[in-house]
Amino acid sequence: MNIGAVDHIEFYVGDAQQTAFYLCTAFGFRVRGQAGPETGHGDRRSLLLSQGGTDIVLTSALSPDHPAARYVALHGDGVANIAFEVTDTVRALAEAVGRGATVVEEAETFRRDGTEVVTASVLGFGDVAHRLVQRSGDRSDFLPGVMDIFADDPEENAQLLHTVDHAAVCLPAGELCPTVAFYEKVFGFSQIFEEFIEVGEQAMDSKVVQSPSGKVTFTLIEPVADRQPGQIDAFLARHGGAGVQHLALLTDDIVTTVPALEARGVKFLETPDTYYDELTARMGRPELRIEDLRRTSVLVDQDHWGQVFQIFTQSMHVRKTFFWEVIDRHGARTFGSGNIKALYEAVAREKALA
């Protein structure tokens, strides 16, 4: 199966317009299109948001029968579909089903003015699906005949964030290895990293799987059942099962991007000064100035290929489940030995202060 990059992320939300206002105001996304009663789809309201190479679809149910209504009732706002670019949707669907995937949406073709988009969806983890998307023609026409695309915004807009780097997924205890095996078998992903994390009396297992293209990466996390419940258990309880805990968006200048996002209203988790006091002894001198990292609360780690810099937002979700990450890679291909633990501890600090 020839999977390229992430085509788009679809969120099911209670109020698409309100969520779009936040993402545009705080993160710099722009509304680029819409679907709904005006386009002949009276059961939903969908808004297409874009920034750099990231497309996000926000969908709210206008009918109790739409899947978004059931999703939001169970989980609250959250990621419902992580779409993959493919070269042949029909063939990819047949391969996925033949390898054990469950169909969510049968193949469907959308055409307008020489543009053609073919989509289908299969179930991934929990009730999160993967839409298989084949595009030809004008790629700016996101879903021909379904979504109206707005004229380009003439206002200058700095591109702070570029693409989806990875998605972090929380799984119930015992589902980590079967989920890794599922992505290896169905989609041809490979496991590229694993780590066992202990924080006090809490612990979790993590494995990272990645597509052959290297452009789709999932960090899969499960709690350790015989340890004290922690923030992964809290996510699973509040979310109502497996789901996306956070999405990481890639930037090429994190110490500039973070203050710019803060000025727009984004709230990030704070990192204690002791982290930076001990940084040089732990890993040597980072490629970015420690003073800049301290000022912005950015974390740093490294692997065999280079360093990775990252920071996590506070959760704006009413259930305190989903949040965002901003990440800047300086050659690093994975997450280093300390970043997952740093995430766990950062979320634990926020929970302790709540």
Side-chain angles (χ1 to χ4, degrees):
M1 187 181 301
N2 189 8
I3 293 175
V6 172
D7 184 87
H8 65 276
I9 307 284
E10 183 172 19
F11 287 76
Y12 283 165
V13 298
D15 189 328
Q17 291 177 318
Q18 185 178 59
T19 303
F21 179 79
Y22 171 71
L23 290 177
C24 292
T25 301
F27 286 89
F29 283 90
R30 293 297 177 95
V31 178
R32 193 162 67 84
Q34 70 169 356
E38 301 86 351
T39 64
H41 298 273
D43 62 342
R44 69 183 185 272
R45 167 82 59 202
S46 292
L47 297 175
L48 171 63
L49 277 58
S50 297
Q51 180 176 186
T54 302
D55 286 332
I56 291 175
V57 177
L58 305 173
T59 296
S60 293
L62 300 180
S63 163
D65 296 327
H66 191 277
R70 297 188 294 273
Y71 181 100
V72 172
L74 177 61
H75 304 299
D77 296 358
V79 173
N81 200 305
I82 301 175
F84 301 153
E85 294 178 349
V86 297
T87 55
D88 187 332
T89 293
V90 173
R91 180 176 179 180
L93 177 64
E95 288 181 3
V97 171
R99 297 171 184 176
T102 300
V103 176
V104 176
E105 300 169 342
E106 295 287 354
E108 189 171 1
T109 301
F110 305 90
R111 296 186 180 92
R112 178 168 57 192
D113 299 333
T115 296
E116 181 176 279
V117 178
V118 186
T119 69
S121 286
V122 295
L123 194 61
F125 50 86
D127 55 5
V128 176
H130 297 304
R131 186 169 291 121
L132 310 172
V133 183
Q134 170 191 342
R135 297 185 180 276
S136 61
D138 183 4
R139 296 184 67 86
S140 67
D141 196 352
F142 184 79
L143 199 58
V146 174
M147 183 167 285
D148 285 345
I149 302 300
F150 303 147
D152 290 339
D153 192 334
E155 182 181 338
E156 282 290 328
N157 184 37
Q159 301 291 323
L160 298 173
L161 305 164
H162 303 305
T163 58
V164 176
D165 183 86
H166 67 273
V169 178
C170 293
L171 301 166
E175 292 189 10
L176 178 60
C177 289
T179 302
V180 170
F182 173 81
Y183 278 91
E184 290 175 335
K185 178 182 178 181
V186 174
F187 299 108
F189 283 31
S190 298
Q191 181 180 317
I192 63 170
F193 183 74
E194 65 180 330
E195 187 168 21
F196 180 81
I197 303 294
E198 293 183 280
V199 180
E201 297 300 315
Q202 303 170 15
M204 67 176 183
D205 271 325
S206 175
K207 298 180 186 291
V208 179
V209 295
Q210 190 174 77
S211 65
S213 68
K215 296 180 179 180
V216 182
T217 305
F218 295 147
T219 301
L220 306 172
I221 310 163
E222 72 171 5
V224 177
D226 60 357
R227 297 296 186 91
Q228 289 293 320
Q231 54 110 341
I232 305 302
D233 302 272
F235 173 93
L236 294 168
R238 294 171 182 169
H239 181 76
V244 176
Q245 182 198 48
H246 74 263
L247 290 174
L249 299 177
L250 190 66
T251 182
D252 55 13
D253 186 357
I254 196 166
V255 296
T256 299
T257 297
V258 168
L261 293 176
E262 286 180 322
R264 292 172 171 265
V266 177
K267 303 295 184 183
F268 290 98
L269 297 181
E270 295 183 358
T271 303
D273 280 344
T274 52
Y275 173 90
Y276 302 101
D277 295 339
E278 301 165 357
L279 192 56
T280 302
R282 179 170 68 87
M283 58 168 287
R285 185 161 295 276
E287 294 183 19
L288 300 180
R289 295 184 346 132
I290 293 179
E291 293 78 6
D292 290 335
L293 301 177
R294 188 192 302 268
R295 172 175 54 84
T296 55
S297 285
V298 168
L299 303 167
V300 57
D301 217 319
Q302 61 188 3
D303 58 20
H304 294 299
W305 299 276
Q307 296 182 347
V308 59
F309 301 85
Q310 59 189 153
I311 189 169
F312 309 97
T313 72
Q314 296 179 20
S315 177
M316 299 302 292
H317 196 294
V318 67
R319 302 191 187 196
K320 295 296 182 183
T321 48
F322 180 82
F323 55 93
W324 297 89
E325 175 185 350
V326 177
I327 187 167
D328 184 356
R329 292 189 179 275
H330 287 214
R333 299 182 189 176
T334 60
F335 303 90
S337 61
N339 279 350
I340 296 176
K341 184 176 181 179
L343 166 61
Y344 197 104
E345 293 174 333
V347 175
R349 287 197 299 272
E350 184 187 26
K351 183 180 177 182
L353 294 173

